[in-house]
Amino acid sequence: MKSRPSVHIALLGGFDLVVGNVPVTVPVGSKRLLALIALNYRASVPRALIAGSLWPEASEQRAYTNLRAALSRLRGLGRKALDVSPSEVRLAREVTVDLYHARSLAQRILDPRVPAEDLGLNAATVDQLSADLLPGWYDEWALLEAEHWRQLRLHALEKLAGELIEAEQFAGAVTAAHTAVQADPLRESSQVSLIRAHLAEGNLAEALDHFERYAQRLRNELGLRPTPRLRQLVAELRQSHPGGGYLQ
């Protein structure tokens, strides 16, 4: 018996559908349908919920018509991604979604019951936590899920940086913390992770320089100062690197 081809949906860094290692071009309406279903992963989604989510400003009748059209355009390889019934739609059993592999990794990193040595952490782990969810998509359901993922991966990257420092994998720690900073440049906990990674690596001047650039940006954009916790982290370094800089 011939097995069905594997199907993979990518949501991180942008949408992609790959069936049996073959990229599949998907019409825009059908792409939004696939993304919404993929975000629900193994759960069945009622047609009414799909229609209302994808076309919230349309009448009920028009939304259902649009849904039928999106399903009909999803022919051939693309249709293999879904199991469709008269009342609901769900992912086909063989479909994998990158978000759920990355989310599982992030949750394991944050789980205090999972020893760091059991995670096999290294610099490559950062790649799985580096991409935004559906960047450039402005549907309310996509934005909500994107923010949930952003918060989860930022916490995981900060924890990962700390674990890599403990393992003396300093380059990986800097990469993890820097990835978190890129995702949210004004988030102080990510800045602290990066400064600590530089300090652990012995790059004192780089840690100070990064602190000063962050403090200046924080002041310019929000009119705020770094918290006492962060200022205390670099206070002793300031004494060993005279020459001033922003610390007030």
Side-chain angles (χ1 to χ4, degrees):
M1 181 177 177
K2 187 177 180 180
S3 61
R4 298 177 68 177
S6 63
V7 182
H8 180 71
I9 294 177
L11 303 175
L12 300 177
F15 181 90
D16 272 309
L17 173 66
V18 180
V19 180
N21 297 320
V22 178
V24 177
T25 300
V26 181
V28 173
S30 302
K31 185 182 296 185
R32 292 172 66 241
L33 168 63
L34 282 173
L36 177 64
I37 301 302
L39 286 173
N40 286 273
Y41 204 40
R42 298 303 178 197
S44 296
V45 186
R47 285 188 178 228
L49 178 58
I50 300 169
S53 298
L54 295 181
W55 298 280
E57 298 181 1
S59 66
E60 181 177 350
Q61 181 178 357
R62 182 61 184 172
Y64 271 101
T65 300
N66 290 342
L67 175 56
R68 287 193 295 271
L71 286 168
S72 68
R73 295 191 192 101
L74 197 61
R75 297 176 180 174
L77 292 177
R79 189 58 178 265
K80 295 181 182 298
L82 299 177
D83 284 335
V84 181
S85 75
S87 61
E88 58 190 23
V89 181
R90 66 183 300 163
L91 286 183
R93 181 171 300 177
E94 66 273 12
V95 177
T96 59
V97 180
D98 62 350
L99 172 64
Y100 289 90
H101 292 287
R103 182 177 288 175
S104 177
L105 171 63
Q107 291 168 339
R108 282 174 56 78
I109 290 172
L110 292 170
D111 189 343
R113 298 168 299 178
V114 179
E117 55 269 21
D118 291 352
L119 294 170
L121 300 177
N122 53 56
T125 307
V126 179
D127 292 340
Q128 299 182 61
L129 304 173
S130 63
D132 291 331
L133 173 66
L134 297 174
W137 288 46
Y138 299 104
D139 301 85
E140 183 176 354
W141 50 270
L143 291 173
L144 181 62
E145 291 294 337
E147 178 58 18
H148 287 167
W149 167 241
R150 189 181 75 88
Q151 288 293 332
L152 177 63
R153 75 184 182 95
L154 285 173
H155 282 98
L157 284 165
E158 292 166 3
K159 176 76 176 300
L160 175 60
E163 296 288 0
L164 291 173
I165 288 173
E166 290 293 323
E168 298 186 353
Q169 297 184 39
F170 301 126
V174 170
T175 299
H178 191 264
T179 300
V181 167
Q182 284 184 311
D184 189 345
L186 297 177
R187 180 182 171 97
E188 184 164 304
S189 55
S190 296
Q191 298 287 344
V192 170
S193 292
L194 182 54
I195 290 170
R196 284 178 171 157
H198 284 314
L199 293 177
E201 199 171 22
N203 293 324
L204 307 186
E206 193 163 357
L208 278 172
D209 179 65
H210 184 79
F211 168 78
E212 290 181 1
R213 284 186 281 113
Y214 167 65
Q216 188 67 46
R217 182 170 186 173
L218 191 64
R219 182 174 62 178
N220 290 343
E221 296 189 19
L222 298 178
L224 298 176
R225 301 164 55 193
T227 63
R229 179 186 68 157
L230 179 53
R231 298 204 304 274
Q232 183 178 358
L233 178 64
V234 298
E236 292 183 3
L237 294 177
R238 177 76 66 202
Q239 295 175 4
S240 62
H241 287 71
Y246 179 78
L247 189 60
Q248 290 74 32

